[in-house]
């Protein structure tokens, strides 16, 4: 029955995209693996994890079983769970750039301010086979061959939320006397200081709401869907679509587990990752658009900086970010990333 089901599903290749390389003689060895996805208050990572699981289990005719859980469900923070992956106790994980940086400091390159002209460029960069290979070489060197990079998907496009405004350009931060909350990361604090915020406060995410409510802070930043789900728009009346930073979740596999798989199954894992990344990106866009609609319907003031205003943000923030990241990331890797972004941008616009 299972083989009949597989045949019928594979017949619909336009739906699952299973290639001839993924099918063939069923191997005798069975495999069980756990996939831990980065859990937060967003709604798009579980569908991606389910797509990953379903693709692999169908393509292997059930010989590889994928058990889905969350990073929090494994009883630790991202870096602790990443250690489980490095030790081979866990097979798959999707940490964000900050979590992955504990093992792979160069991941912070992906958080450079205004690195991408838009999410459409980021999506292409993190599915570019040449760049995936480059990242994989670097991450294996940094982890003594413990981790393998399969690609990355959107976690958030970060914007600005304030109780005073609107904020269209950096000088508005000073004129409105904005006290901004950032993540507890030195680069973020330095960037907002350079942008002209009179006060930069590092607070845990859980304290954003009360901070805005009490006036301890006047602003915070992050993804639209995350901000809406956290209730931040109950106390912040202004949204500036700055898109100042892009954050990803990386699809990482234990290299020892990956290399234990037959070559046929290794290809299936790579295909499943590519599919899951597409699913995650699509859901991220859909959920962001839903959140933006809800924000507008709630009567909040939403502004989007024009090209000239965006250039002013970038001119101030970009050098600070590169200085900080340059201290922890291999300069060759950072330059290769910048070159890849430029190549993808040129290719995209040449095709238009």
């Amino acid at each position: 029955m299972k083989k009949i089901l597989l045949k019928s599903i594979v017949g619909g290749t336009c739906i699952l995209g299973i290639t001839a390389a993924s099918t063939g003689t069923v191997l005798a060895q069975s495999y069980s693996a756990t996939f831990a996805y980065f859990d937060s208050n967003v709604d798009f990572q579980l569908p991606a994890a389910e797509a990953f699981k379903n693709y692999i289990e169908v393509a292997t005719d059930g010989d590889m079983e994928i058990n889905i859980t969350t990073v929090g469900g494994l009883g630790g923070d991202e870096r602790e769970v990443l250690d489980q992956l490095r030790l081979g106790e866990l097979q798959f994980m999707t940490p964000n750039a900050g979590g992955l940086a504990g093992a792979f400091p160069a991941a912070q390159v992906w958080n450079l301010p205004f690195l991408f002209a838009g999410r459409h460029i980021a999506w292409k960069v993190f599915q570019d086979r040449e760049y995936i290979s480059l990242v994989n070489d670097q991450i294996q060197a940094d982890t003594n061959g413990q981790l393998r990079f399969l690609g990355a998907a959107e976690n958030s496009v970060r914007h600005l939320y304030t109780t005073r405004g609107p904020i269209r350009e950096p000088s508005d931060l000073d004129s409105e006397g904005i006290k901004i909350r950032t993540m507890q990361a030195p680069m973020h604090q330095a960037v907002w200081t350079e942008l002209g915020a009179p006060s930069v406060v590092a607070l845990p995410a859980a304290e954003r709401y009360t901070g805005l409510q009490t006036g301890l802070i006047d602003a915070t930043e992050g993804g639209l869907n995350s901000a809406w789900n956290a209730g931040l728009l109950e106390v912040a009346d202004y949204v500036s679509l700055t898109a100042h930073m892009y954050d990803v979740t990386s699809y990482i596999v234990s290299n020892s587990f990956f290399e234990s798989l037959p070559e046929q199954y290794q290809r299936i894992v790579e295909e499943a990752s590519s599919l899951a990344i597409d699913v995650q990106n699509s859901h991220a866009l859909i959920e962001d658009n839903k959140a933006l609609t809800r924000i507008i319907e709630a009567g909040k003031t939403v502004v989007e900086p024009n090209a000239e205003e965006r250039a002013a943000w970038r001119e101030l923030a970009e050098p600070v970010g590169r200085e900080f990241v340059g201290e922890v990331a291999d300069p060759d890797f950072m330059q290769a990333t910048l070159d890849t972004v430029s190549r993808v941008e040129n290719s995209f616009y040449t095709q238009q």
Side-chain angles (χ1 to χ4, degrees):
M1 177 64 69
K2 187 161 55 178
K3 291 182 179 179
I4 295 173
L5 174 63
L6 175 61
K7 182 178 179 181
S8 66
I9 295 177
V10 170
T13 53
C14 62
I15 298 175
L16 284 182
I18 296 177
T19 65
S22 301
T23 60
T25 303
V26 175
L27 305 180
Q29 177 70 49
S30 295
Y31 301 87
S32 180
T34 297
F35 180 103
Y37 69 91
F38 174 63
D39 47 327
S40 61
N41 63 343
V42 295
D43 305 319
F44 48 82
Q45 291 177 25
L46 178 57
E50 290 173 337
F52 182 87
K53 168 185 171 71
N54 293 339
Y55 187 98
I56 287 178
E57 292 182 351
V58 170
T60 64
D61 198 18
D63 284 344
M64 186 183 297
E65 178 187 18
I66 304 296
N67 303 299
I68 298 174
T69 187
T70 64
V71 169
L74 293 177
D77 63 22
E78 275 189 287
R79 296 196 177 190
E80 292 170 339
V81 174
L82 193 64
D83 285 341
Q84 296 178 34
L85 195 73
R86 297 183 69 171
L87 293 171
E89 300 168 355
L90 175 67
Q91 290 73 46
F92 299 98
M93 182 184 175
T94 58
N96 67 12
L100 183 59
F104 178 48
Q108 294 174 77
V109 169
W110 303 329
N111 287 157
L112 282 171
F114 301 99
L115 176 61
F116 302 106
R119 56 172 27 114
H120 59 296
I121 301 299
W123 290 2
K124 287 182 176 291
V125 166
F126 290 112
Q127 289 253 48
D128 183 87
R129 300 311 304 176
E130 181 180 331
Y131 187 63
I132 288 174
S133 178
L134 185 150
V135 176
N136 188 50
D137 288 345
Q138 187 72 46
I139 199 172
Q140 290 211 28
D142 284 3
T143 64
N144 295 317
Q146 294 173 319
L147 302 180
R148 176 177 290 268
F149 179 80
L150 298 169
E154 183 172 314
N155 183 37
S156 66
V157 180
R158 304 183 76 85
H159 304 288
L160 181 65
Y161 313 91
T162 64
T163 57
R164 296 201 298 272
I167 306 296
R168 296 197 64 97
E169 52 190 349
S171 60
D172 294 335
L173 295 170
D174 184 51
S175 63
E176 292 287 347
I178 296 295
K179 303 185 294 290
I180 185 171
R181 175 267 173 188
T182 73
M183 288 192 287
Q184 294 168 298
M187 183 185 78
H188 290 246
Q189 296 163 39
V191 164
W192 286 101
T193 297
E194 184 66 22
L195 286 168
S199 177
V200 179
V201 182
L203 287 177
E207 297 180 23
R208 292 174 299 173
Y209 186 99
T210 54
L212 290 167
Q213 189 178 45
T214 61
L216 174 63
I217 56 174
D218 310 303
T220 187
E221 51 86 51
L224 286 166
N225 191 46
S226 176
W228 177 263
N229 288 347
L232 301 183
L233 277 303
E234 296 173 8
V235 286
D237 290 327
Y238 299 91
V239 179
S240 300
L241 299 177
T242 51
H244 54 270
M245 193 173 292
Y246 189 84
D247 195 29
V248 300
T249 52
S250 295
Y251 281 66
I252 306 294
V253 59
S254 162
N255 197 48
S256 60
F257 174 76
F258 184 85
E259 291 187 343
S260 75
L261 299 174
E263 184 177 345
Q264 176 183 338
Y265 284 11
Q266 290 178 359
R267 289 198 301 271
I268 290 171
V269 165
E270 291 172 339
E271 292 165 1
S273 299
S274 181
L275 173 65
I277 287 168
D278 282 341
V279 170
Q280 183 167 327
N281 286 340
S282 298
H283 277 266
L285 176 60
I286 290 167
E287 294 303 323
D288 256 15
N289 286 341
K290 286 180 180 178
L292 183 58
T293 298
R294 292 172 183 139
I295 290 167
I296 293 171
E297 290 176 347
K300 304 301 178 179
T301 299
V302 179
V303 298
E304 183 170 11
N306 59 32
E308 183 179 347
E309 291 163 342
R310 182 175 170 82
W313 289 95
R314 182 171 186 169
E315 184 179 351
L316 291 172
E318 193 175 54
V320 178
R322 291 193 185 187
E323 180 180 353
F324 266 81
V325 173
E327 294 178 359
V328 295
D330 180 89
D332 291 337
F333 178 80
M334 183 163 71
Q335 187 58 53
T337 298
L338 297 173
D339 290 343
T340 300
V341 172
S342 295
R343 172 170 58 81
V344 169
E345 284 182 350
N346 292 336
S347 172
F348 181 89
Y349 293 114
T350 298
Q351 296 171 11
Q352 300 308 298

